[in-house]
């Protein structure tokens, strides 16, 4: 074959077509062209009795070539390739291994049979990009595994293991070696005279839903119950429904129409933006390609509290031995017991397999001996937010840690440079800000100080990725990126309560926007005393929140906060006592309360944060606007289908945001709400954050 992206061979009368497009055998134009040429050749050869479709390298195709996103389509498209395979005059067996995703799985569904290795995984994750499978996935998968299981898989975008895929009918056999196993399967199929039936012509798995769709309706409702307002899941449900209510060709045409509508919509644009932004965030201007992450073989975490234990779990989950250092044996035992209980709960829920607790706990050790720090390649301090305490700890780390070890603080607000100056090696010091619960939340803010080396940053990014986190490098300032912006929202929350809104109204607006929780419910969950302690340390007041804390109302853990939680319930209920407190406090401060509409609430919950994002960019605290979006999507629950604060701001229009900020600055008397210089400049030039990001990228290059 002249096309190096697709290889062709014939073994014992079986044509083997193998995609060779590393690293993930993406279905780019060269691959698509080569597949059709190879299939033509196999069909024209009378000596070829069957065809095996496989891949070189470490995985079957993981889907579309992302470098083609946003570019004009080039023939043949994936639809045409799958149709050619679907109409092959000779039986085709797909040999799956690694991760077969998206268009790769859809291509295999255009084959007559599929075999897979035992460790293979497969799925249709297009929903995570705000799309639905657009090359027949919603029509063929239900015909193999039934519409109920298909809608659950497609709406979630989760991968299916080989064992489940075989049991459900997605694959026909589990093999030890993909291409040899597929060749053997093809030979057996030829000798036993098995009837060839295209996936599109199968009906046994959709017959029941045709007669009674109630089971499908229940499965669809379960799959989308937390996804109100999100377009792609709803489209996925409708398209899978079409698989048993419409003829195949009509269902296929409807699928394509919905795909094209989604791909042009703002929600999919937002999700694709986040997809690329996550990858862009790991590119550090000025860092040479030869700077690689140092190997991490052993870790130490200082502090075994909730955060320290959660951080330590990340190491154990990645197979890295970790030592927790505490001040006394009682605190150490308490911390390790908490970790064990967390693992036990995960096993009980089925999130981890039986025996996982003991396997993970075997990687833990605990001690009060600071000399153990010398064993570690990385040390993360995770104690209370007190600068003097952290400085004392880093003096100890400097004395005990080996040269070249990465020294990290988990501070969420404090000055990383001041902490680094407590050591004689500030180049090895940075912030690694994990989000609570640290073993679950994906964001990792990597805070670089003035002296932090590229080597330290590369190592922090590397270990973050090993842990399954989304690392974003940010600069050093009070609150960094996420908490600095959050402080603006928190200020507006307090103002809105005094001016006329109630916690439940504000939370309802924020959750309708797409956040999983509103700011007040989130405050109750985290504990109101945390912010109270920080405010007292800084000499800042918040009339309503401070008053609640003075009454011992710290949120869910005390049964009362902004809301009331009866009998241990986690469901917030409005509390008349809080409303009374708000009204009386406003009267005492001479504030005339008024009706505040939802539009104003949403603007004040988002525009001041967007304004702060512009300041962060002005100061160089964030490298690019998309980094800010990644921080808020993965750390603070900003709905991914809204793309993050900067992406959303561009959709709204910076001129409108600037005009409204001027209005609120005048209305509240807070000059800090006035548009920042960058926001005003971009608005005046009819530009957006995306334009700023492009200019910054050009300058960095």
């Amino acid at each position: 074959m002249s096309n190096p992206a697709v290889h062709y061979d014939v073994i014992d009368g079986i044509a083997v077509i193998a995609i060779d497009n590393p690293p993930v055998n993406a279905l780019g134009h060269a691959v698509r062209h080569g597949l059709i040429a190879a299939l033509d050749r196999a069909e024209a050869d009378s000596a070829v009795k069957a065809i095996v479709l496989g891949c070189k390298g470490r995985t079957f195709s993981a889907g579309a070539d992302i470098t083609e996103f946003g570019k004009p389509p080039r023939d043949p498209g994936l639809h045409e390739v799958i149709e050619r395979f679907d109409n092959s005059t000779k039986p085709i067996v797909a040999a799956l291994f690694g991760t077969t995703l998206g268009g790769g799985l859809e291509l295999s569904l255009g084959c007559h049979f599929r075999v897979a290795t035992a460790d293979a995984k497969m799925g249709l994750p297009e929903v995570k990009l705000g799309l639905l499978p657009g090359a027949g996935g919603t029509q063929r998968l239900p015909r193999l595994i039934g519409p109920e299981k298909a809608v659950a898989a497609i709406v979630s975008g989760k991968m299916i293991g080989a064992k489940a895929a075989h049991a459900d009918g997605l694959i026909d056999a589990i093999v030890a070696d993909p291409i040899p196993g597929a060749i053997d399967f093809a030979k057996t199929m030829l000798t036993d005279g098995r009837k060839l039936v295209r996936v599109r012509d199968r009906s046994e798995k959709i017959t029941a839903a045709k007669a009674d769709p109630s089971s499908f309706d229940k499965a669809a409702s379960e799959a989308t119950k937390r996804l109100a307002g999100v377009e792609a899941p709803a489209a996925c449900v409708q398209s899978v429904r079409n698989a048993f209510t419409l003829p195949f060709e009509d269902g296929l045409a409807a699928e394509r129409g919905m795909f094209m509508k989604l791909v042009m919509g703002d929600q999919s644009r937002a999700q694709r933006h986040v997809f690329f932004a996550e990858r862009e965030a790991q590119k550090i201007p000025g860092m040479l390609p030869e700077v690689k992450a140092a190997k991490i073989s052993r870790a130490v975490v200082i502090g075994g509290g909730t955060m320290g234990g959660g951080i330590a779990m990340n190491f154990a989950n990645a197979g890295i031995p970790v030592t927790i250092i505490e001040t006394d044996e009682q605190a150490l035992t308490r911390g390790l017991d908490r970790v064990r209980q967390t693992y036990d709960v995960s096993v009980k829920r089925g999130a981890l397999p039986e025996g996982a607790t003991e396997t993970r706990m075997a990687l833990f050790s605990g001690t009060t001996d600071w000399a153990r720090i010398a064993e570690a390649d990385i040390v993360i301090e995770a104690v209370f937010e007190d600068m003097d305490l952290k400085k004392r700890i880093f003096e100890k780390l400097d004395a005990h840690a080996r040269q070249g070890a990465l020294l990290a603080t988990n501070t969420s607000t404090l000055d990383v440079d001041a902490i680094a100056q407590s050591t004689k090696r500030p180049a090895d010091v940075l912030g690694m800000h994990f989000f609570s619960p640290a073993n679950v939340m994906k964001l990792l803010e990597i805070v670089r100080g003035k002296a932090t080396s590229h080597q330290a940053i590369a190592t922090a990014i590397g270990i973050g990725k090993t842990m399954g986190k989304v690392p974003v490098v940010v600069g050093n300032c009070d609150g960094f990126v996420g908490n600095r912006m959050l402080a603006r929202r928190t200020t507006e929350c307090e103002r809105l309560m005094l001016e006329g809104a109630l916690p439940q109204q504000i939370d309802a607006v924020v959750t309708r926007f797409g956040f999983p929780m509103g700011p007040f419910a989130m405050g109750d969950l985290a504990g109101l005393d945390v912010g109270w302690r920080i405010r007292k340390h800084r000499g800042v007041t918040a009339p309503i929140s401070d008053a609640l804390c003075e009454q011992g109302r710290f949120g869910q853990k005390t049964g009362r906060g902004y809301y009331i939680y009866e009998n241990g319930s986690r469901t917030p209920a409005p509390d008349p006592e809080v409303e009374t407190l708000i009204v009386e406090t406003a009267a005492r401060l001479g504030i005339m309360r008024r009706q505040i509409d939802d539009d104003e609430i949403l603007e004040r919950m988002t525009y001041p944060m967007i304004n702060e994002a512009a300041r962060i960019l002005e100061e160089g605290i964030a490298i690019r606007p998309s980094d800010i979006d990644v921080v808020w999507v993965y750390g603070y629950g900003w709905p991914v289908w809204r793309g993050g604060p900067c992406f959303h701001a561009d959709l709204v229009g910076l001129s409108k945001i600037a005009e409204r900020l001027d209005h609120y600055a005048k209305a509240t008397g807070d000059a800090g709400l006035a548009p920042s210089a960058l926001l005003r400049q971009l608005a005046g030039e009819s530009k957006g954050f995306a334009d700023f990001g492009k200019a910054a990228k050009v300058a960095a290059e």
Side-chain angles (χ1 to χ4, degrees):
M1 295 287 293
S2 60
N3 186 340
V6 177
H7 300 276
Y8 182 89
D9 197 5
V10 178
I11 302 172
D12 297 335
I14 310 295
V16 178
I17 300 172
I19 300 171
D20 186 6
N21 186 26
V24 295
N25 290 311
L27 299 171
H29 176 259
V31 171
R32 299 194 301 271
H33 183 271
L35 286 172
I36 286 184
L39 184 57
D40 287 344
R41 183 173 175 180
E43 289 192 310
D45 187 346
S46 60
V48 169
K49 303 304 179 187
I51 301 164
V52 164
L53 173 64
C55 289
K56 303 280 188 181
R58 58 184 174 86
T59 185
F60 196 83
S61 175
D65 185 344
I66 62 173
T67 65
E68 294 185 349
F69 281 19
K71 296 180 181 178
R74 297 176 67 189
D75 291 334
L78 184 56
H79 277 274
E80 289 78 13
V81 174
I82 294 174
E83 186 175 3
R84 277 290 288 114
F85 275 71
D86 202 35
N87 293 320
S88 170
T89 57
K90 297 177 181 180
I92 306 177
V93 182
L96 312 184
F97 66 106
T99 50
T100 301
L101 301 175
L105 183 58
E106 288 177 298
L107 176 61
S108 79
L109 295 177
C111 301
H112 296 95
F113 305 101
R114 285 145 302 283
V115 300
T117 56
D119 58 352
K121 294 181 179 179
M122 54 217 78
L124 296 170
E126 287 86 349
V127 71
K128 296 179 181 180
L129 294 180
L131 301 169
L132 53 65
T138 65
Q139 301 307 294
R140 290 187 175 90
L141 188 63
R143 286 169 162 81
L144 287 177
I145 68 174
E148 295 82 8
K149 289 182 177 178
V151 78
I154 292 171
V155 169
S156 70
K158 292 180 180 178
M159 290 192 285
I160 304 168
K163 184 177 179 181
H166 188 222
D168 291 340
L170 174 52
I171 61 174
D172 298 283
I174 294 177
V175 298
D177 200 357
I179 289 180
I183 291 173
D184 289 342
F185 183 92
K187 289 178 179 177
T188 301
M189 177 268 304
L190 289 170
T191 57
D192 67 15
R194 189 176 309 189
K195 184 180 179 182
L196 294 184
V197 181
R198 298 180 302 177
V199 172
R200 61 179 289 166
D201 297 327
R202 300 185 187 185
S203 61
E204 61 272 16
K205 292 289 183 74
I206 60 174
T207 300
K210 279 185 176 182
D212 180 4
S214 59
S215 292
F216 172 79
D217 291 340
K218 182 178 178 181
S221 177
E222 180 67 23
T224 58
K225 64 181 179 182
R226 294 185 178 92
L227 298 170
V230 192
E231 295 167 357
C236 289
V237 168
Q238 182 56 51
S239 199
V240 173
R241 187 186 303 277
N242 290 343
F244 62 85
T245 59
L246 297 177
F248 179 83
E249 288 295 344
D250 291 349
L252 201 63
E255 176 194 84
R256 187 62 178 167
M258 283 187 272
F259 178 90
M260 294 306 296
K261 182 178 179 181
L262 289 170
V263 82
M264 298 298 291
D266 288 340
Q267 290 193 8
S268 179
R269 284 180 55 217
Q271 289 181 249
R272 299 197 309 271
H273 164 77
V274 173
F275 176 85
F276 288 111
E278 180 183 335
R279 285 144 185 81
E280 189 74 12
Q282 295 167 26
K283 299 176 182 177
I284 310 304
M287 184 184 289
L288 298 174
E290 54 264 30
V291 178
K292 304 296 182 186
K295 181 177 174 56
I296 302 296
S297 299
R298 178 169 288 278
V300 163
V301 175
I302 309 296
T306 302
M307 280 301 296
I311 292 169
M313 289 176 71
N314 288 307
F315 286 107
N317 295 347
I320 298 171
V322 58
T323 300
I324 294 178
I325 295 181
E326 259 292 359
T327 53
D328 57 63
E329 291 292 341
Q330 186 176 10
L332 189 60
T333 299
R334 190 164 55 244
L336 290 171
D337 285 348
R338 187 185 298 111
V339 169
R340 178 178 287 276
Q341 290 165 9
T342 303
Y343 279 133
D344 283 343
V345 169
S346 295
V347 171
K348 186 176 180 180
R349 289 176 177 170
L352 288 175
E354 290 293 333
T357 297
E358 297 307 320
T359 301
R360 307 278 172 100
M361 290 305 298
L363 292 166
F364 278 83
S365 60
T367 185
T368 59
D369 181 7
W370 285 73
R372 293 284 297 279
I373 291 170
E375 304 171 359
D377 302 305
I378 180 173
V379 185
I380 300 180
E381 163 273 310
V383 302
F384 180 67
E385 287 284 272
D386 181 276
M387 178 60 86
D388 291 337
L389 174 60
K390 289 181 185 286
K391 285 182 174 180
R392 291 196 300 272
I393 287 174
F394 270 78
E395 287 175 1
K396 282 190 174 184
L397 298 188
D398 196 32
H400 290 285
R402 68 167 183 79
Q403 288 301 310
L406 183 63
L407 308 182
T409 172
N410 180 52
T411 180
S412 58
T413 57
L414 299 180
D415 186 342
V416 171
D417 286 320
I419 293 169
Q421 289 307 311
S422 299
T423 75
K424 298 181 183 68
R425 49 174 113 175
D428 296 333
V429 179
L430 45 65
M432 290 181 68
H433 178 205
F434 290 80
F435 287 69
S436 184
N439 57 304
V440 175
M441 294 294 287
K442 292 191 70 174
L443 179 66
L444 175 61
E445 266 188 327
I446 297 172
V447 187
R448 69 160 150 195
K450 293 176 182 176
T452 304
S453 69
H454 278 161
Q455 177 62 67
I457 293 170
T459 300
I461 291 173
I463 191 61
K465 291 168 66 178
T466 298
M467 290 173 169
K469 303 299 184 186
V470 177
V472 180
V473 177
V474 302
N476 180 33
C477 67
D478 185 16
F480 316 131
V481 169
N483 282 344
R484 177 171 162 178
M485 291 170 63
L486 183 65
R488 289 290 178 177
R489 188 176 80 173
T490 302
T491 298
E492 289 306 300
C493 283
E494 192 83 13
R495 276 200 187 119
L496 282 165
M497 283 191 293
L498 291 170
E499 290 176 21
L502 292 174
Q504 56 268 30
Q505 180 190 3
I506 298 168
D507 276 359
V509 170
V510 172
T511 54
R512 278 198 300 273
F513 182 76
F515 279 87
M517 298 180 75
F520 297 101
M522 179 60 72
D524 278 358
L525 177 64
L528 302 186
D529 51 324
V530 176
W532 189 38
R533 284 198 300 267
I534 293 172
R535 288 194 299 276
K536 286 196 291 185
H537 179 73
R538 293 177 172 177
V540 176
T541 60
I544 304 300
S545 302
D546 290 350
L548 292 174
C549 290
E550 286 162 4
Q551 295 173 17
R553 299 180 64 122
F554 297 149
Q556 287 191 15
K557 59 189 172 185
T558 59
R560 281 173 167 74
Y562 291 110
Y563 297 101
I564 190 167
Y565 303 86
E566 297 284 11
N567 303 318
S569 169
R570 289 182 173 272
T571 302
D575 189 344
E577 291 183 13
V578 173
E579 182 173 355
T580 299
L581 171 66
I582 293 169
V583 171
E584 290 177 350
T585 303
R588 176 170 55 82
L589 295 174
I591 298 171
M592 182 70 69
R593 285 169 58 79
R594 60 185 172 85
Q595 288 283 0
I596 301 178
D597 64 33
D598 290 354
D599 288 343
E600 178 179 341
I601 289 173
L602 181 58
E603 288 180 350
R604 293 175 67 176
M605 287 293 94
T606 54
Y607 292 1
M609 291 199 303
I610 290 165
N611 198 26
E612 197 63 27
R615 293 192 182 99
I616 285 167
L617 290 167
E618 285 176 24
E619 297 167 19
I621 298 300
I623 296 171
R624 49 188 79 86
S626 59
D627 288 359
I628 295 173
D629 290 339
V630 172
V631 166
W632 269 83
V633 166
Y634 286 107
Y636 296 86
W638 188 284
V640 65
W641 47 275
R642 291 194 186 272
C646 294
F647 183 91
H648 176 69
D650 284 356
L651 288 183
V652 172
L654 296 194
S655 58
K656 176 183 177 180
I657 293 173
E659 182 270 323
R660 296 303 291 161
L661 285 169
D662 274 326
H663 167 77
Y664 292 126
K666 183 178 179 180
T668 63
D670 182 357
L673 285 175
S676 69
L678 177 60
L679 185 64
R680 204 178 286 282
Q681 175 193 335
L682 292 172
E685 296 172 354
S686 298
K687 292 181 178 178
F689 285 114
D691 299 295
F692 178 88
K694 290 174 185 174
K697 184 175 182 180
V698 170
E701 293 172 348

